[in-house]
Amino acid sequence: GEVDGLVIHGLMGSGFLKAIYPHLTSLVGDIGEEEFANRFARDLDEPVSLPARYGLPVILSSFFGREDNYTRAYQDKNIPVFDGPEKAARGMLALHRYNEIRQRDIKPGIHCSGEFIISDKVTETIEENLKRGNFILDEYTSKQVLAAYGAQVCKEMPAFDLEAAIEAASHIGYPVVLKACSSQYAHKSGKGLIYLNLLNEVELAEAYRSIIKAAGFDVPVLISEMIKGERELMAGMVRHSGFGPCIMFGLGGIFAEALSDRVFRLAPLDNRSVFEMFEDLKAGEILNDYRGLPAVEKKVLASSIQAVAKASLLHPQIAEIDINPIIISGSRPVIADALLVLQNRDDCPAGSKEL
């Protein structure tokens, strides 16, 4: 009743015996290596049955691989075998943590959308880009794909000349952000292709000319509302063979790589999974009332993260999704930048799905 798991270190059989045999030839006489190993062989049926018999995790630490009959017997029963005690201990800790997550009672009260239908407009957008050989969607198109599945994106309008940019800014309202909007410039920072906090038409016109000069051609521009906030998050998706879409959520902004505070889940994401991601973030407390900042609207944030999972499942041509940052403006989470990368695939599902 007091044992929750068992880590066995240094359990060795034939591998160890064969390793020491050359050093014992003067003692064993005419006994061959195989016979020597067989004389010390032990019945392993009982030890390898421990997990099934008692319902407790067992992990083995061994100095040998499958050439050792002990290692081989444990692995054949799906019992983890590590090549060091430290790794075995971390493996047991991971099992314990996973069990805690499975038993955790997520607070009720916030519900996100469950059923959803594939967007024909998104399907058409993806197909058109793939036909043109364009595997990176521009920022505006990337956000529109996510918005089609419930993501909260910033107010913005694309423009193809200065006059249209000025008109768009008047509709959105100053201050605004001006960015180059082209798949050729997926990453714009430090290249003179993005200008923040433009307060009037004069500043907008100057920024527009600077972007065109930096790009070297009449690149389309994106006029966006200027989102301000003291908290920044990020989300994304990558595909791994055998797992499908892996959804990421974590701290964003300029410190995303330095702090590396992020969590992962496999799509689809139900409500429980999304809110587990919020709780598992090391700095998850910033989603609540924090140093005078209001609690984040978690329902809106959850919908945006679920939108990543929806788009990934319904459109397998989407290879990667990168959203950074999600700015918390007051309590409202808003996607300020996004990037979608495509791949050639023909097995895109159609019709209704349930998340």
Side-chain angles (χ1 to χ4, degrees):
E2 297 180 0
V3 177
D4 297 316
L6 185 62
V7 177
I8 305 174
H9 171 58
L11 194 62
M12 300 171 289
S14 60
F16 171 72
L17 294 172
K18 290 180 180 180
I20 66 172
Y21 176 80
H23 305 284
L24 301 176
T25 52
S26 61
L27 299 176
V28 300
D30 297 333
I31 299 176
E33 181 181 288
E34 290 296 331
E35 183 181 353
F36 175 74
N38 290 334
R39 287 193 180 189
F40 291 92
R42 296 291 183 268
D43 182 9
L44 299 177
D45 289 342
E46 183 174 348
V48 299
S49 68
L50 287 174
R53 183 187 305 173
Y54 296 103
L56 296 174
V58 174
I59 290 179
L60 183 68
S61 168
S62 175
F63 297 105
F64 296 92
R66 286 186 64 82
E67 73 277 6
D68 184 89
N69 66 320
Y70 276 35
T71 296
R72 189 165 57 250
Y74 277 83
Q75 287 182 333
D76 289 346
K77 289 294 184 179
N78 295 320
I79 298 173
V81 180
F82 293 88
D83 60 2
E86 296 85 1
K87 293 180 181 179
R90 286 196 294 268
M92 183 62 75
L93 179 62
L95 287 176
H96 173 67
R97 178 62 176 148
Y98 178 69
N99 185 59
E100 285 185 330
I101 291 173
R102 292 293 301 272
Q103 295 182 359
R104 186 164 53 193
D105 182 23
I106 300 300
K107 298 176 183 178
I110 300 179
H111 302 281
C112 300
S113 57
E115 184 177 338
F116 61 95
I117 300 174
I118 193 169
S119 167
D120 292 335
K121 184 176 181 180
V122 170
T123 300
E124 182 180 344
T125 297
I126 291 174
E127 290 177 350
E128 287 180 353
N129 278 273
L130 287 175
K131 286 179 181 177
R132 297 199 305 265
N134 181 28
F135 292 91
I136 299 178
L137 300 184
D138 63 58
E139 181 180 339
Y140 177 74
T141 305
S142 295
K143 290 180 186 172
Q144 290 303 299
V145 168
L146 295 169
Y149 291 110
Q152 180 71 46
V153 303
C154 61
K155 293 188 295 184
E156 58 188 14
M157 297 175 64
F160 297 90
D161 55 46
L162 177 57
E163 183 179 349
I166 293 173
E167 183 178 355
S170 66
H171 280 90
I172 293 172
Y174 291 96
V176 296
V177 176
L178 194 65
K179 311 176 187 180
C181 186
S182 170
S183 58
Q184 296 183 41
Y185 293 109
H187 302 287
K188 297 174 281 292
S189 298
K191 300 178 181 179
L193 299 172
I194 176 171
Y195 287 83
L196 306 176
N197 203 34
L198 302 174
L199 301 177
N200 50 55
E201 184 176 321
V202 174
E203 292 185 3
L204 176 67
E206 183 178 347
Y208 178 88
R209 297 186 184 96
S210 297
I211 288 175
I212 298 300
K213 182 178 180 180
F217 66 101
D218 288 334
V219 63
V221 296
L222 187 61
I223 301 86
S224 308
E225 62 176 320
M226 181 67 198
I227 305 294
K228 297 181 180 180
E230 297 182 39
R231 293 168 288 182
E232 295 188 358
L233 306 167
M234 67 176 179
M237 182 277 296
V238 293
R239 295 184 185 273
H240 287 286
S241 178
F243 290 95
C246 298
I247 312 302
M248 180 275 295
F249 170 68
L251 292 186
I254 60 175
F255 298 114
E257 295 299 327
L259 299 178
S260 191
D261 186 5
R262 61 195 69 169
V263 292
F264 294 85
R265 289 293 187 278
L266 297 178
L269 291 179
D270 57 15
N271 297 340
R272 180 186 180 95
S273 297
V274 175
F275 288 99
E276 281 181 351
M277 294 177 84
F278 295 164
E279 293 197 358
D280 285 349
L281 202 65
K282 294 176 184 177
E285 187 61 30
I286 67 170
L287 301 180
N288 304 318
D289 293 317
Y290 185 75
R291 295 192 175 185
L293 300 173
V296 175
E297 296 176 28
K298 293 183 180 179
K299 181 178 180 179
V300 177
L301 180 59
S303 295
S304 290
I305 298 172
Q306 284 187 318
V308 176
K310 293 177 184 180
S312 304
L313 288 171
L314 288 177
H315 304 280
Q317 298 96 333
I318 299 176
E320 300 176 24
I321 297 176
D322 181 13
I323 302 172
N324 187 21
I326 303 173
I327 299 176
I328 309 302
S329 177
S331 64
R332 184 173 65 110
V334 184
I335 294 175
D337 199 352
L339 174 69
L340 268 66
V341 179
L342 305 180
Q343 60 187 357
N344 272 319
R345 291 188 62 175
D346 300 321
D347 55 342
C348 185
S352 299
K353 294 284 179 182
E354 188 166 323
L355 187 63

